[in-house]
Amino acid sequence: MKIPTIERYLARQVYAAVGFVLLGFLGLFAFFDLIAELRDLGNGNYQLRQIFTVVALWVPGHAYELLPIAVLIGTLYVLAHLSSNSEYTVMRASGLSPGRAGGMLAKVGLAFVVLTFATGDWVAPFSEQLAQQVRMRAMQSLIGGTLGSGIWFKDERSFINVREAREANSLSGVRIYEFDSAYKLRQVTNAERGEYAGAGRWRLIGVKQTVFGPEGPTTGAHDEAEWRSAMSPDLLNVLIVVPERMSAWKLYKYLQHLAGNKQKTERYEIALWKKLFYPLATLVMMALALPFAYMHARSGMVGIKVFFGIMLGIVFHMLNSLFSHVGLLKEWPPIAAAAVPSILFLATAVMMMYWIEKLRPALARMRA
């Protein structure tokens, strides 16, 4: 069997298996999203049509997060299946060395790298923002989420404008327009910042108020003021695009904005580096699956290997999130917080191949 023929055969098998695993995961996550969203059915105009639209728009975001795990499980299944049927033994007899096999998987994996980057940088951020707009407009809470003036909310007879909200419990540039029962403008409040104090209360800082009375407008200024509103961090969390869901270009531009204003940038730097490293995690996952092809086992062991693949995928996903938070708390270099999980798994793959190719045969000879 020629190497190009083996490569095409392996590519078809891997693409089919990864596609099947990814579809299964996406169907499962979409079902969970649907169950969660049904709790808000009937809230405003949020009906089944809007719910299904929102769930569908969340699919690209899930695909981006799950692609490395799907690649690991799909590749591991294919290699384990080939090994159990002795097909991989035939391939090795045809000249397929571990180095060639790794290079072959890397070529196959380049498509997954491109797909992961395109999904996470272009498709997912757009669909996430669109889903948020559909959801909030249906609930009659959002007036305009993409206006140049910021985010607009309606809270009973008040209209709220937030210039910038990157954290759900901290707002910048808050304007509140309050109307009376006849919908005549009664008061305008401007605040430099707003911080959530719990139980529907916000603490406004740097407040300027204009009250419109029968005798004309009067103005006043306060260092702090309390504002009660139905707008909560939970509501904002649905609307705000978190750094992990922003495109790499938007993250870079926002980093420049924060640096220019001498604000903390660590969280966004970690998110940017994760955006750059995460697509490469698909290649790491394929490297981690390769040693399983050299573990000869009967067909009944394929399921156990796939189970190990699922566990490894879950561990990788957990570590990827954990190191982002730990790196932020411990003030690690952003590139280290983003790259360490992939480096650890790549090192594990290299150690497994070294054990299989070098140490295990040497130990077997010593025992003989």
Side-chain angles (χ1 to χ4, degrees):
M1 188 181 293
K2 296 181 179 180
I3 296 299
T5 304
I6 295 175
E7 186 175 331
R8 288 193 297 270
Y9 176 72
L10 190 61
R12 285 197 302 269
Q13 295 287 325
V14 170
Y15 290 148
V18 172
F20 180 78
V21 172
L22 184 61
L23 284 175
F25 273 133
L26 291 179
L28 183 63
F29 275 71
F31 175 74
F32 291 152
D33 288 339
L34 179 63
I35 296 299
E37 290 304 297
L38 285 175
R39 292 198 295 264
D40 293 322
L41 180 64
N43 189 347
N45 293 322
Y46 200 47
Q47 304 300 326
L48 282 175
R49 179 182 176 183
Q50 285 77 18
I51 288 176
F52 281 113
T53 301
V54 168
V55 170
L57 288 170
W58 280 340
V59 166
H62 290 316
Y64 172 70
E65 294 173 350
L66 294 168
L67 258 167
I69 300 174
V71 168
L72 171 62
I73 297 171
T75 306
L76 196 151
Y77 170 78
V78 169
L79 295 178
H81 185 72
L82 293 176
S83 177
S84 66
N85 291 339
S86 300
E87 291 180 75
Y88 199 78
T89 304
V90 174
M91 292 179 184
R92 293 183 68 184
S94 302
L96 185 65
S97 65
R100 277 189 171 183
M104 195 179 296
L105 286 177
K107 289 174 66 176
V108 173
L110 285 176
F112 295 123
V113 173
V114 174
L115 178 62
T116 304
F117 181 81
T119 303
D121 212 54
W122 299 325
V123 182
F126 175 76
S127 65
E128 180 81 13
Q129 188 175 20
L130 192 58
Q132 292 166 349
Q133 292 176 6
V134 169
R135 193 177 192 277
M136 302 305 291
R137 284 200 176 101
M139 291 184 176
Q140 300 178 347
S141 298
L142 174 66
I143 302 171
T146 57
L147 302 178
S149 56
I151 305 168
W152 287 85
F153 293 90
K154 181 178 180 294
D155 182 11
E156 295 183 350
R157 289 196 295 269
S158 297
F159 293 85
I160 304 114
N161 171 226
V162 178
R163 187 183 69 246
E164 187 176 306
R166 290 300 177 189
E167 300 288 343
N169 59 356
S170 181
L171 313 176
S172 297
V174 182
R175 290 184 180 181
I176 307 165
Y177 300 87
E178 299 180 39
F179 294 80
D180 59 20
S181 57
Y183 283 95
K184 292 182 180 179
L185 187 60
R186 185 177 66 85
Q187 180 175 291
V188 177
T189 302
N190 290 280
E192 295 177 5
R193 299 198 319 274
E195 298 176 356
Y196 192 64
R201 295 179 296 109
W202 289 83
R203 187 167 65 95
L204 301 180
I205 301 168
V207 181
K208 294 180 180 178
Q209 289 182 324
T210 301
V211 180
F212 298 90
E215 298 177 358
T218 58
T219 60
H222 311 278
D223 293 334
E224 292 187 6
E226 184 178 278
W227 169 48
R228 291 187 173 272
S229 174
M231 187 177 71
S232 65
D234 290 337
L235 183 64
L236 285 166
N237 269 325
V238 177
L239 187 62
I240 296 170
V241 178
V242 296
E244 290 73 19
R245 293 293 177 90
M246 295 168 67
S247 66
W249 177 248
K250 284 188 176 180
L251 277 169
Y252 175 71
K253 296 297 290 183
Y254 192 65
L255 272 170
Q256 287 185 319
H257 166 74
L258 291 176
N261 289 277
K262 297 181 178 179
Q263 295 178 280
K264 291 185 177 181
T265 61
E266 289 82 0
R267 182 185 178 192
Y268 296 90
E269 287 184 69
I270 292 173
L272 178 59
W273 282 111
K274 281 182 68 175
K275 276 286 180 181
L276 300 177
F277 277 106
Y278 198 69
L280 298 176
T282 54
L283 295 180
V284 175
M285 295 298 102
M286 297 190 91
L288 191 62
L290 181 59
F292 288 88
Y294 295 84
M295 298 178 185
H296 299 286
R298 297 176 182 177
S299 58
M301 295 293 291
V302 173
I304 296 176
K305 291 180 180 180
V306 171
F307 174 77
F308 278 122
I310 295 172
M311 292 297 103
L312 286 171
I314 293 172
V315 170
F316 174 78
H317 188 72
M318 291 174 61
L319 284 179
N320 207 37
S321 300
L322 177 65
F323 274 85
S324 297
H325 296 294
V326 172
L328 192 61
L329 290 172
K330 300 295 184 180
E331 298 182 350
W332 291 354
I335 188 172
V340 164
S342 295
I343 292 172
L344 286 176
F345 271 65
L346 182 60
T348 302
V350 172
M351 289 173 63
M352 289 175 67
M353 283 301 300
Y354 183 74
W355 166 262
I356 291 169
E357 287 294 302
K358 302 292 184 181
L359 295 182
R360 193 172 66 173
L363 289 174
R365 288 193 297 268
M366 289 174 62
R367 290 172 181 173

